[in-house]
Amino acid sequence: AAAKARISELSALSLSRTAWAFATVLLEADTLLEAIAAESLPKMDAFTSQNKSLTAWSFARLAMCDEPLLAAISSASIAKLHTFKSQEMANTVWAFAKLFVHDEPLRQAIAEQAIGTLRDWSAQSLAATASAMAKLAFLHAPLWDAISSEAVRTISSMQSQSF
């Protein structure tokens, strides 16, 4: 109870890192996560792209679907998606897919932002994004074309480096 009361003292960074720590070692702590979610809502403007991404990822990894938190992460992410790194976009869309949250505006925004930057994405981020979009049955032809082209380019590059 004392720890839950002190959660209001945590910064956005500390909230996201606490959720991440529990998710990383798969420690279920529903009461703690509920408190983190509630405390994160009024602090969402202070969350960086990494904080948003890690929080979404953490809740998904622990299979905890807090709809108000995810809605806040979505809204705040769409507004600042240009600040997200590829892994942060991939982790965010993966988290929503893992929790079966069909957030059309977020998927659309990530697709549009990703198309122009896929050349800089790691193979892991490409694969995670493709997998998440497929799981959500998100048929955005320009995104799928861009992912396909980048995957072919990446594979070709790896094959030429092996000689």
Side-chain angles (χ1 to χ4, degrees):
K4 188 176 176 186
R6 293 194 57 206
I7 203 148
S8 65
E9 299 171 15
L10 296 180
S11 67
L13 174 64
S14 296
L15 289 166
S16 67
R17 283 189 176 171
T18 301
W20 176 85
F22 277 78
T24 298
V25 293
L26 293 172
L27 286 176
E28 293 184 26
D30 290 353
T31 303
L32 174 63
L33 289 174
E34 289 168 5
I36 287 172
E39 191 57 37
S40 295
L41 294 175
K43 295 179 179 177
M44 193 54 61
D45 287 343
F47 275 60
T48 65
S49 56
Q50 184 181 41
N51 300 153
K52 291 176 205 130
S53 169
L54 283 179
T55 301
W57 179 90
S58 300
F59 275 69
R61 181 149 160 91
L62 293 171
M64 182 156 185
C65 186
D66 187 286
E67 291 180 16
L69 175 64
L70 294 172
I73 289 171
S74 173
S75 178
S77 296
I78 291 169
K80 302 262 184 173
L81 207 52
H82 63 280
T83 67
F84 277 56
K85 296 176 182 168
S86 61
Q87 184 178 355
E88 294 163 350
M89 280 192 268
N91 286 352
T92 301
V93 76
W94 175 87
F96 278 70
K98 174 98 168 120
L99 294 170
F100 296 102
V101 176
H102 293 266
D103 187 311
E104 182 69 22
L106 179 63
R107 290 183 299 191
Q108 189 70 32
I110 288 176
E112 290 171 10
Q113 182 69 30
I115 288 171
T117 62
L118 288 178
R119 185 172 267 298
D120 302 324
W121 286 36
S122 69
Q124 181 180 359
S125 292
L126 278 172
T129 300
S131 174
M133 293 297 195
K135 185 172 188 174
L136 294 169
F138 185 64
L139 304 176
H140 186 282
L143 175 65
W144 286 109
D145 289 346
I147 289 173
S148 175
S149 295
E150 191 53 32
V152 168
R153 189 191 71 74
T154 301
I155 291 167
S156 297
S157 173
M158 287 189 302
Q159 287 174 340
S160 67
Q161 291 173 10
S162 65
F163 290 110

